[in-house]
């Protein structure tokens, strides 16, 4: 989908000036999809956006009013690179409630979990390093890793080696980082069980490498019991966050608002100290006033907002699943996620979700994200991701109805153009 | 000053896990100084902070109120990685007024100019690449470059080769990037003349490499005529921004507020398109609401705020210079900067500004930034940077009085411990 446009001479001239690592920085499908979301006629399951109606805008307004009136000298000034201390303390308390005993020294404020993953990659990856990931994996993480031309190794939802090379193979470059999104993962919505989490921990221990736990969706559970975070499991074994190899990346984007760009890293103190240097040289600090306001609103009503989001998103998930059950043909598969924002569809072999997207937009006014870009090995052509949080229920049902109709048509076309030996010959 | 602390075993363990590039990420003096600024008894010329009393807080408040009331669904949501279009358009208009004809396609919003320099380094530098800089140079840029273990080459304020190796030498790694801070530079306050700017342009052309123009202070001129930006000079020669090798890094931090973290890159479209990918993978987008509010307040009163800042800072500069003239001993040198935020002091040979800082804080309650860290070759021990924007006039006079007293004492000590052959021997 990308790189198929003709490249202008001026672009070619700049490409020659770039460092080698820029070769692997390509436009993603998700990026191009931002443009579609501006068209209100498109029913979009594409962008992984939280429902903006759930944002606590009156409370955010109160916060901005307070800090701009009471202390503009502080709230509009630079702040320490590690972040606003009261917010770091609040997050340490939040982590404690997740079973992770830590202090504000273990917390760095980042501009979302995306920045956290970028920093960790810059700190741990060399060109050609091996990185263990699930397949499929979060596209935004792959975009970061790709710049290092990594040697990917895959694990499945059980934390076991999947495909070749496996994460514990000996004949490749040394494994330098494990990246996992264990709760309601982007894009599949799958959750890793406790045994799977322990397997990844063992892999981290065996290789003495960090395990990056992307917990962006962890608060959004709609059913079933909460599982211990990988960091909690590690600390139970190793006794203290200071001995843990897990680096926990949290975010307020899915529970409070993504528009203020506030996330965090929770990790052992020496690692946080190094990451503070990276933060300082990367953008000095995250917005001071946004950190102050986020602290105030989170302290006041984080749990309440999470509860409201869970309630609203549970209904949207159920609505989407019921529409899929009603309209989709038998050969399309999915699993009901226990939380998060996504349902992952597997289409019959031979259907290509990239081609489907173009038709879905043009013919049915429906958008989603094709699954292939989430697969660094180019597989997954017949998969796609549906985000159910930002689309109102009735529109979502209508969107699934239209998408199902298109898929049924595509399946019929597929049969009609099947190779000759597959076509029943009369009289035989 | 850094790396002299004892390193804990846990830190050593993590250091082993880091990628090679992390070896050159060290804590800077500026970072440690943030802690000092919390103590209200210290008279600080240290941090390069704008005067918080000049921030347009009522207008910022209006902006937050407007966008949180009118459209929280937009202002608290993700936005396009290239940034909020009305802000990009406003900046294109601003650049036009600086003699740079461009459109919003030439503008990427960044989280301050610091992020701009970091992105450009990641896009252009390989490990060991040569980078041409002034000596001294902005510490925050050196921190970024250092991670690439660059081969630095130096130019002076006239844009001519300074020291060895010179920027146009043949016997080193190829030059990959030129970094200049031509207006009222951090740390020296010096301004490059038009000839000097053209010399750097010729160097960029000869090597076909980007010239990063850090214009963070450019709006803050207190006397003399405004000089054309390097980008304007280049476009006059090459005809269009699309042919320009200059990458202009702008910032609202020094004119409006640093607390919202909004800056920009202005460059040829193909370069901006690549940088948008870097922005997306680095932190998705800068804070949506902050971009919207900054656009509103800049459109309303950018020129007025710049005028107010110029007036206030001109007085503070004059006050500082007059205090230096009154109190400093003859052998301490400085130049009156035409703008910006800094005065650069050169102490007599033999005085060490790092040691002086420790005494200044402990004995006189005065802080500044020692000059050595701005010199990648370890020179500049007898230099220091004074920021005059954030310290009220009477306190500044008192601070310079105390600092002068200390320097006079140190000079006396220096004479008393001079090597024996320098001491006059009675009878000879």
């Amino acid at each position: 989908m990308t790189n198929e446009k003709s490249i202008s001479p001026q672009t070619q001239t700049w490409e020659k000036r770039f460092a080698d690592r820029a070769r692997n920085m390509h436009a993603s499908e998700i990026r191009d999809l931002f443009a579609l979301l501006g068209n209100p006629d498109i029913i979009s399951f594409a962008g992984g956006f939280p429902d903006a109606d759930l944002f606590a805008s009156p409370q955010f307004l109160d916060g901005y009013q307070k800090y701009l009136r009471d202390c503009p000298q502080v709230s509009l000034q630079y702040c320490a690179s590690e972040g606003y201390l009261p917010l770091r303390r609040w997050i340490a308390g939040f982590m404690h409630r997740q079973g992770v005993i830590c202090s504000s020294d273990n917390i760095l404020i980042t501009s979302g979990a995306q920045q956290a993953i970028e920093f960790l990659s810059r700190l741990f990856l060399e060109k050609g390093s091996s990185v263990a990931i699930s397949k499929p994996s979060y596209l935004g993480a792959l975009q970061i890793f790709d710049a290092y031309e990594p040697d990917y190794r895959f694990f499945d939802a059980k934390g076991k080696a999947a495909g070749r090379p496996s994460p514990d193979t000996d004949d490749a470059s040394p494994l330098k980082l494990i990246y996992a999104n264990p709760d309601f993962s982007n894009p599949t919505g799958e959750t890793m069980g406790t045994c799977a989490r322990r397997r990844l921990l063992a892999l981290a221990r065996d290789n003495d490498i960090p395990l990056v736990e992307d917990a962006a969706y962890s608060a959004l559970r709609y059913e079933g019991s909460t599982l211990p975070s990988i960091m909690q499991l590690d600390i139970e074994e190793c006794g203290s966050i200071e001995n843990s190899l897990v680096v926990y990346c949290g975010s307020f984007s899915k529970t409070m608002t993504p528009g203020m760009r506030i996330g965090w890293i929770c990790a052992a103190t020496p690692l946080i100290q190094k990451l503070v240097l990276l933060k300082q040289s990367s953008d000095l600090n995250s917005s001071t006033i946004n950190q102050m306001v986020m602290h105030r609103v989170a302290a006041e009503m984080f749990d309440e907002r999470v509860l409201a989001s869970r309630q609203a998103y549970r209904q949207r998930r159920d609505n989407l699943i019921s529409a899929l059950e009603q309209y989709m043909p038998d050969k399309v598969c999915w699993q009901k996620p226990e939380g998060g924002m996504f349902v992952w569809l597997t289409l019959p072999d031979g259907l290509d979700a990239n081609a489907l997207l173009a038709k879905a937009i043009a013919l049915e006014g429906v958008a989603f994200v094709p699954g292939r870009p989430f697969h660094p090995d180019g597989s997954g052509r017949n998969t796609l991701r549906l985000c159910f949080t930002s689309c109102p229920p009735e529109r979502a049902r209508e969107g699934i109805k239209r998408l199902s109709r298109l898929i049924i048509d595509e399946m019929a076309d597929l049969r009609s153009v099947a190779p000759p030996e597959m076509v029943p010959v009369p009289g035989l």
Side-chain angles (χ1 to χ4, degrees), chain A:
Chain A
M1 197 159 181
T2 55
N3 300 329
E4 287 165 16
K5 301 168 193 161
S6 66
I7 296 170
S8 75
Q10 276 159 335
T11 300
Q12 286 173 344
T13 307
W14 277 104
E15 292 282 345
K16 274 183 251 164
R17 296 175 187 132
F18 295 151
D20 285 346
R21 77 180 70 78
R23 278 197 308 252
N24 292 308
M25 297 174 189
H26 301 305
S28 81
E29 270 86 334
I30 281 186
R31 169 169 168 67
D32 295 337
L33 286 164
F34 270 95
L36 301 177
L37 299 170
N39 177 353
D41 295 334
I42 301 275
I43 300 177
S44 177
F45 302 105
F49 291 7
D51 180 7
D53 288 336
L54 290 167
F55 301 151
S57 16
Q59 286 75 19
F60 285 123
L61 178 55
D62 278 355
Y64 283 109
Q65 284 173 335
K66 177 176 171 54
Y67 294 119
L68 284 169
R69 284 182 183 141
D70 292 0
C71 53
Q73 291 88 349
V74 175
S75 64
L76 293 176
Q77 192 53 282
Y78 290 107
C79 77
S81 299
E82 52 268 48
Y84 180 56
L85 185 57
L87 179 61
R88 292 164 60 221
R89 285 196 181 127
W90 185 89
I91 292 170
F94 170 83
M95 294 302 300
H96 198 152
R97 292 199 300 281
Q98 318 298 308
V100 171
I101 296 174
C102 65
S103 80
S104 58
D105 290 341
N106 300 107
I107 308 293
L108 168 75
I109 303 298
T110 61
S111 296
Q114 184 74 24
Q115 186 175 56
I117 303 168
E118 196 280 304
F119 284 177
L120 293 163
S121 303
R122 221 175 333 144
L123 195 51
F124 289 105
L125 298 186
E126 312 278 3
K127 182 175 167 180
S129 288
S130 285
V131 180
I133 55 171
S134 63
K135 188 177 68 175
S137 265
Y138 169 49
L139 183 49
L142 296 180
Q143 280 182 281
I144 299 169
F145 300 148
D146 281 352
Y148 299 90
E149 303 179 41
D151 174 18
Y152 285 116
R153 309 205 213 153
F154 303 114
F155 53 82
D156 63 18
K158 293 192 188 310
K160 290 181 177 170
R164 300 234 157 243
S166 74
D168 43 14
T169 186
D170 289 332
D171 58 355
S173 62
L175 199 58
K176 283 306 196 83
L177 188 136
I178 304 170
Y179 169 79
N181 185 198
D183 297 306
F184 333 120
S185 95
N186 182 354
T188 65
E190 269 182 314
T191 296
M192 301 186 88
T194 305
C195 286
R197 293 170 195 233
R198 288 196 202 281
R199 272 190 203 103
L200 290 192
L201 272 178
L203 186 65
R205 286 278 155 218
D206 288 351
N207 290 275
D208 191 41
I209 54 168
L211 193 170
V212 176
E213 178 171 22
D214 179 350
Y217 307 97
S218 299
L220 299 178
R221 175 176 280 280
Y222 314 134
E223 64 184 45
S225 327
T226 300
L227 294 176
S229 68
I230 306 182
M231 179 168 253
Q232 183 185 348
L233 290 175
D234 194 30
I235 292 175
E236 281 168 11
E237 267 186 52
C238 71
S240 156
I241 190 170
E242 297 306 330
N243 302 324
S244 179
L245 284 169
V246 179
V247 189
Y248 183 103
C249 302
S251 173
F252 289 108
S253 293
K254 309 305 190 283
T255 48
M256 302 293 283
T257 163
M260 289 162 61
R261 312 303 305 125
I262 308 287
W264 70 88
I265 297 175
C266 177
T269 318
L271 180 54
I272 293 292
Q273 285 167 346
K274 197 78 176 185
L275 287 164
V276 170
L277 302 179
L278 226 71
K279 177 71 182 170
Q280 184 184 35
S281 71
S282 297
D283 60 8
L284 299 179
N285 58 261
S286 290
S287 167
T288 317
I289 179 123
N290 289 5
Q291 292 186 62
M292 294 174 81
V293 172
M294 185 61 86
H295 167 248
R296 185 177 156 87
V297 181
E300 192 186 331
M301 56 183 329
F302 181 81
D303 291 348
E304 181 193 323
R305 296 322 299 167
V306 167
L307 214 63
S309 299
R310 281 185 188 158
Q311 215 155 14
Y313 294 158
R314 182 188 295 114
Q315 284 176 6
R316 293 199 168 177
R317 176 201 60 170
D318 292 346
N319 175 69
L320 189 88
I321 295 287
S322 120
L324 289 170
E325 285 167 353
Q326 183 175 350
Y327 296 114
M328 278 290 162
D330 282 349
K331 291 191 171 169
V332 177
C333 307
W334 62 87
Q335 284 200 318
K336 184 178 173 182
E338 292 187 333
M341 299 171 59
F342 307 110
V343 171
W344 183 247
L345 254 57
T346 305
L347 308 175
D349 280 345
L351 281 193
D352 180 332
N354 276 16
L356 189 73
L357 174 64
K359 288 188 184 172
I361 291 169
L363 305 178
E364 301 284 1
V366 175
F368 54 82
V369 181
R372 195 180 55 174
F374 298 91
H375 297 74
D377 60 358
S379 62
R381 292 178 76 93
N382 63 329
T383 57
L384 62 88
R385 189 192 78 176
L386 299 173
C387 172
F388 57 78
T389 51
S390 53
C391 188
E394 274 315 300
R395 269 177 81 76
R397 291 196 78 80
E398 174 62 24
I400 294 303
K401 189 175 160 185
R402 295 186 196 175
L403 184 59
S404 303
R405 186 164 63 200
L406 182 66
I407 291 174
I408 290 167
D409 285 354
E410 290 294 299
M411 286 168 64
D413 285 357
L414 199 66
R415 278 192 297 274
S416 69
V417 297
E421 67 269 29
M422 299 291 285
V423 178
V425 178
L428 282 183

